[in-house]
Amino acid sequence: MFAEWYKPGCVLEYPIGGVGEIVNALVRGLHKYGGKLMLKSHVKEIIIDGGCAIGVKLTDGTVRNYY
């Protein structure tokens, strides 16, 4: 990757607002489609129905369905 920087016409680009904006965009997309970001939540099992993930079971026993 770094070798590319020395090629003629190569430029280094940054996201507007910094790299934190990448995370913010991902979270906005998650919320837009009905998702929920749960920090410090450890997934024990992904619940599958008809070949699609529809929820998760957390290590504390909590079940979150998203169908």
Side-chain angles (χ1 to χ4, degrees), residues 5-53:
W5 288 0
Y6 298 102
K7 291 186 176 179
C10 183
V11 295
L12 179 61
E13 298 183 28
Y14 300 89
I16 295 172
V19 294
E21 285 303 311
I22 296 171
V23 175
N24 293 337
L26 290 170
V27 172
R28 281 193 307 272
L30 180 69
H31 290 160
K32 178 179 178 179
Y33 291 99
K36 181 178 178 183
L37 180 64
M38 300 173 61
L39 302 176
K40 297 184 180 180
S41 300
H42 300 276
V43 176
K44 180 177 183 178
E45 177 183 350
I46 299 173
I47 302 167
I48 306 290
D49 183 26
C52 295

